[in-house]
Structures are given as C-alpha cells and as structure tokens.
Amino acid sequence: MQVKLLPSLEAATVLAATLRACNRAADAASVVAYETGTTSRNELQKLVYARLKAEFGLAAQPAVRTVKKVVDACTTLRANIRAGNLGPEGSKRRRRAESKPIAFRPDAAQPYDDRILSWQHDAQTVSIWTVAGRIKGIRYTGHSGRLAMLARYRRGESDLVHRDGMWFLIATCEVPEAPLNTDPVDWIGVDRGIANLATTSDGDNYQGRRLGRYRRRHARKRAELQAKQTRSAARRAKRRGKREARHARTSTTGSVRRSWPSHNAPDAGLPSKN
C-alpha cells in the first residue's frame, strides 16, 4: 500500500541525506559480499556491521536492514541468472552482471521496520529514523479506503521511496483472503489482447485504435528526443514515457467507469468502445 509523505523542506533534505548514506553503505556491503562470496545475511552482517555504523553513520537497525537489502539484491541476481533472464552463459549481459558487485542508486528505496518507523494512523503522521536523528510528525496522505486498509492490515516492512521529487512510503499489508464466491451475480468474462484490447463474454469489443495512435505519436516524439543524445533530451523522453503510461492507465479506467454500470464494473480497467 503506497502513501505520499508530506515532509517539510528541512525534513525532505534529511530524508535525502538518509537515502544517500544508506545506499553508500549498501554499496560497501555489496563489495564485501562480492569479494568474499558471502550469501548468508548473518555472515555478511558479521563482516560489515561495525563498519556501516562507524563509517556511514547508520544506527543498529538501519544497518541490519541495509545488509538485508544487499543480500536480497544478490539473491534476485542469482535467480535471474539461473532463469536465463540475463542471457546464456558467456553472453555479454551476463558477464557484465557477474563481473562486478551490485551497485545501488544514491536514491534507491530503503526498507524500514517497526523499530525505526512508527505509524500514527489517527493523526496520519509517521515517526522515522534518519541520519540526523528521529523525525516525528511527518504527515502522509492517500485515498481514504487505502488509508483504512493500511491502518487495519499493515504488517512488516515499509520502503521509503523518493521518486520524481516526491516522497512515498510503500507498506506491506496482509489482507485476509476473501471467501470464494460460489454463486456470482452480474459476472462477466474478459479476454484481453493486443489488436482488440478486450472482448467481453456478452459480445462487447473494446478496440485500442485511439490509444494506439496516442502511443505511436509518443513513440515518434521519444525517438526524436533520443536521437539528440543529450542529457536534457533523455530526461524529457523519460518524463514523456511516464506521461504516456499515466494517460493509458487513467483513460482506460475512466472509460469503463463511464460506460459500465457501477455494479458491473470489473476490477481491471477497459478502454471505451470505438
């Protein structure tokens, strides 16, 4: 469950410094894991724990979370290699991935647990550890239904995320499985495709011509920007790609809400019929 943080300018500066410190520490731990071949979290923690606290200013629990982040990243890399997602043995992409330690972006997400992050659901604030000490009373916001689910079902870790100049917390929620509906009412089957984005069991066909034209236009614009090969053009192309994704998501969900009765609307958004 994702909520948006609303930190003050001073708090945002400290949060940014915290992410940079945690990810520098993660880079250092990743180098040790690579050079020693360590895959166990406990073994890697023994090797780097004191250094992460002394050199990077991490408290005890953030150091533990950072070690776990490194071990999880290494586990994911090994799984991708075994699955062939990085190409066959000897391929350029696989050699590049295996030839160096995993590196973390300066603003990569950082996991928090309940010892270093607490939620005040009634006040809609959080108290969070930073390299400058614990900051209390940082407000967060979100959809009322999601906030209610967060307050009721949140369990375990939460990730601090910095994206597009905004701050988010992504929390894990353990929602009990709903009982199986053995006698459905007003149900509908949906077959999803490419040329026809969706065809329903009652014969409605949702084509994607308008969305396809929109995507082709944005693809041409991105190609023009990428051909310039400048950093500014690359940033603009990235923003355009995100804008396209948001448009595709919101336009399809908005169309189905307008064209379907509310009690029949499916969970997945469908484009309007052309």
Side-chain angles (χ1 to χ4, degrees):
M1 193 65 63
Q2 176 177 284
V3 297
K4 184 178 180 180
L5 289 180
L6 304 172
S8 64
L9 179 60
E10 294 78 9
T13 301
V14 175
L15 290 176
T18 300
L19 282 189
R20 290 194 297 270
C22 289
N23 285 300
R24 288 197 304 269
D27 283 338
S30 179
V31 171
V32 174
Y34 178 79
E35 292 177 347
T36 62
T38 304
T39 59
S40 167
R41 187 183 74 172
N42 290 337
E43 292 301 320
L44 181 60
Q45 186 169 312
K46 292 177 183 178
L47 295 174
V48 302
Y49 178 76
R51 179 186 174 190
L52 298 190
K53 295 181 63 178
E55 185 174 339
F56 301 99
L58 303 190
Q61 201 61 21
V64 172
R65 294 297 96 197
T66 299
V67 171
K68 184 178 185 299
K69 179 168 77 168
V70 172
V71 172
D72 289 346
C74 293
T75 301
T76 300
L77 175 61
R78 291 195 301 271
N80 281 324
I81 291 174
R82 287 196 303 269
N85 296 335
L86 300 181
E89 187 175 359
S91 66
K92 182 178 179 180
R93 187 182 179 193
R94 178 167 172 173
R95 288 201 310 271
R96 185 167 62 246
E98 293 177 320
S99 64
K100 59 184 179 181
I102 294 175
F104 294 83
R105 292 180 290 103
D107 61 347
Q110 176 66 16
Y112 279 75
D113 61 20
D114 288 345
R115 297 184 182 182
I116 48 179
L117 173 67
S118 59
W119 299 76
Q120 295 79 47
H121 295 291
D122 291 339
Q124 280 189 215
T125 61
V126 294
S127 171
I128 187 170
W129 173 89
T130 70
V131 291
R134 198 172 186 98
I135 300 181
K136 299 181 180 180
I138 298 180
R139 293 182 56 243
Y140 65 86
T141 186
H143 187 275
S144 58
R146 295 185 176 183
L147 295 181
M149 182 175 291
L150 180 73
R152 185 174 182 182
Y153 296 117
R154 189 197 63 81
R155 299 288 186 277
E157 288 187 353
S158 302
D159 289 340
L160 177 65
V161 177
H162 188 215
R163 184 173 64 238
D164 297 333
M166 297 177 287
W167 292 93
F168 301 93
L169 280 173
I170 302 178
T172 301
C173 293
E174 295 183 3
V175 182
E177 185 176 0
L180 183 64
N181 183 4
T182 58
D183 187 20
V185 178
D186 292 336
W187 60 272
I188 192 168
V190 180
D191 181 20
R192 306 183 66 180
I194 297 176
N196 296 322
L197 297 186
T199 301
T200 66
S201 58
D202 60 359
D204 288 332
N205 186 25
Y206 293 80
Q207 300 176 4
R209 288 196 295 268
R210 183 183 304 172
L211 184 58
R213 289 194 298 269
Y214 179 86
R215 285 175 166 164
R216 288 193 295 272
R217 184 170 73 252
H218 274 267
R220 289 194 300 269
K221 294 294 185 180
R222 286 199 306 273
E224 293 172 3
L225 290 171
Q226 290 166 356
K228 295 182 179 180
Q229 295 184 345
T230 64
R231 296 178 68 179
S232 174
R235 288 194 296 267
R236 290 168 61 193
K238 183 177 179 180
R239 288 197 300 268
R240 183 173 288 273
K242 291 183 178 180
R243 189 183 310 131
E244 176 189 345
R246 289 195 301 269
H247 174 82
R249 181 173 64 250
T250 57
S251 64
T252 54
T253 54
S255 297
V256 71
R257 286 170 183 165
R258 289 190 298 270
S259 59
W260 285 59
S262 60
H263 63 281
N264 270 357
D267 292 335
L270 298 175
S272 59
K273 291 178 281 186
N274 289 339

